[in-house]
Amino acid sequence: MSLVFKHSGRLGDILYSMPLVKQLAELQDTSADYYVSSDIPARLGKDVFHPSLEVMVNSNLYDYIEPLLSRQIYLNRILHVPTLAIPRDAIDLDQFKTSGLNLKAGLIYGWYRKAFGVPFPLEAPWISVDCSVEDAEIAEDTEISVLVGRTTRFCNTRINYRILDQIKGVGFVGLEYEYEDFIARYSLKNVRHIKVKNALELAILMCRAKIFVGNQSSNFAIAEGLKVPRALEAFEPVPVATPVGGVCFEYINTKFLVSFLSNVLNMQLDVLEDIAGGDYHDSIKPQDGYVLPLKQRVKNLLGIAKKARY
């Protein structure tokens, strides 16, 4: 008999729940049915935008993640249905949100370990893909040395990504506005936009690249699940995605990123200065999904400058 799980989203939380699901399925020598709620309200503010719009996981985002999840041997079925259609005995993976955990620190997949009391190795991969899978519409000759996925949330704006123009074969995965913002912000000339149809194609690209570089996002959750070589742009105000296992690193300045990339790529990159005035920001563009806390909005209204915390 299959195990049955349910989750309300978002995509990153769904991905980080997989090591728990995998461990429980293996312990019981079975596979799992995994239900994703299609009608849980997002409850975002009027001036906040998220690609999933009014719900936590809409059909577009589900269609994006499903091809990757359906390839995992410990999953039997992945279903996107209204909450009332989910079996009542399904294991509620949202329990970590109400388990008294500090959700602003630690490892997201470590939260599941704590909330459910099930030990599993943090350093072991929980996502696997066949890099030669035939139905992924990615050219076999797509040569990527460095794959970058950087959203406009959870950013350290002191990192100087102009260093990437020193490297041949750098590709960026993400939404169009994310790519345009990244290229314009760092005046990059040699980074091309690689568009993927779904998370499976993204995972295959990660496996083919020499290293993935990104910030806290569902993209990095996939890289963490694969345990491919990866570097995380650390976001110290909410440090919840520290990489564990395999060739990995988290960086807080340009110098450290250059050193790690030089070692992984076996080439000496020139070190550039950090961007002056850079700081940690929850979003480069507020309309992309972030609303300033009320306290900060009041300070802005009163003309009180925000002091750098780091």
Side-chain angles (χ1 to χ4, degrees):
M1 179 179 294
S2 294
L3 290 168
V4 181
F5 295 90
K6 67 176 182 178
H7 205 302
S8 67
R10 306 260 186 201
L11 292 192
D13 290 341
I14 289 173
L15 287 161
Y16 280 123
S17 75
M18 289 300 147
L20 171 66
V21 174
K22 180 175 183 290
Q23 180 75 0
L24 290 175
E26 290 176 351
L27 287 173
Q28 299 191 29
D29 192 25
T30 186
S31 58
D33 288 345
Y34 196 103
Y35 288 83
V36 178
S37 298
S38 63
D39 56 359
I40 300 297
R43 295 189 176 89
L44 297 174
K46 293 182 179 179
D47 54 347
V48 175
F49 170 78
H50 189 278
S52 199
L53 304 176
E54 292 86 5
V55 295
M56 292 290 284
V57 180
N58 65 11
S59 58
N60 288 337
L61 288 189
Y62 175 78
D63 290 344
Y64 174 80
I65 199 69
E66 189 275 338
L68 176 61
L69 297 183
S70 65
R71 296 280 174 164
Q72 308 314 305
I73 60 173
Y74 54 88
L75 293 179
N76 179 41
R77 294 186 301 166
I78 302 94
L79 304 102
H80 189 226
V81 300
T83 303
L84 290 178
I86 298 176
R88 291 187 178 183
D89 60 348
I91 299 171
D92 185 3
L93 293 168
D94 289 323
Q95 286 183 36
F96 79 92
K97 300 176 183 178
T98 57
S99 296
L101 301 177
N102 180 3
L103 302 184
K104 292 186 177 181
L107 295 173
I108 298 178
Y109 54 116
W111 296 343
Y112 290 97
R113 220 167 54 157
K114 294 178 182 178
F116 289 87
V118 177
F120 54 79
L122 298 176
E123 69 279 5
W126 67 82
I127 294 175
S128 62
V129 296
D130 179 358
C131 289
S132 63
V133 65
E134 295 179 358
D135 57 354
E137 297 178 7
I138 303 173
E140 288 289 344
D141 60 355
T142 300
E143 294 185 5
I144 300 297
S145 56
V146 178
L147 189 64
V148 180
R150 189 174 189 262
T151 68
T152 55
R153 297 196 64 198
F154 305 122
C155 296
N156 179 350
T157 59
R158 65 169 62 100
I159 306 298
N160 191 344
Y161 285 103
R162 293 187 185 97
I163 62 168
L164 295 175
D165 267 345
Q166 303 176 51
I167 305 169
K168 182 180 179 180
V170 179
F172 184 98
V173 288
L175 300 173
E176 190 71 35
Y177 76 79
E178 293 171 337
Y179 172 71
E180 292 175 355
D181 182 275
F182 190 68
I183 293 300
R185 185 169 295 276
Y186 302 105
S187 303
L188 294 166
K189 297 180 174 60
N190 299 325
V191 178
R192 59 182 174 130
H193 192 194
I194 300 178
K195 298 181 180 180
V196 296
K197 292 176 58 178
N198 53 56
L200 174 61
E201 291 190 349
L202 174 57
I204 293 171
L205 281 176
M206 288 178 176
C207 290
R208 292 179 182 174
K210 294 180 179 178
I211 185 171
F212 176 77
V213 176
N215 59 352
Q216 295 180 190
S217 65
S218 60
N219 290 341
F220 198 86
I222 294 172
E224 186 66 15
L226 292 165
K227 300 301 181 183
V228 295
R230 59 208 183 279
L232 173 72
E233 178 185 308
F235 186 75
E236 290 305 310
V238 188
V240 296
T242 301
V244 178
V247 178
C248 61
F249 185 65
E250 62 271 30
Y251 54 94
I252 60 172
N253 59 39
T254 309
K255 177 182 177 181
F256 294 166
L257 174 59
V258 167
S259 176
F260 185 65
L261 288 177
S262 295
N263 288 332
V264 172
L265 300 174
N266 195 28
M267 63 182 294
Q268 187 56 55
L269 301 173
D270 294 332
V271 178
L272 302 181
E273 294 293 328
D274 284 346
I275 294 177
D279 197 0
Y280 294 103
H281 291 284
D282 284 316
S283 182
I284 293 175
K285 298 178 179 179
Q287 68 270 26
D288 292 337
Y290 177 71
V291 174
L292 284 173
L294 177 60
K295 184 178 180 180
Q296 186 59 45
R297 279 181 275 165
V298 172
K299 286 184 177 181
N300 291 349
L301 184 64
L302 297 176
I304 302 174
K306 178 183 178 182
K307 297 181 180 179
R309 293 173 291 171
Y310 300 91

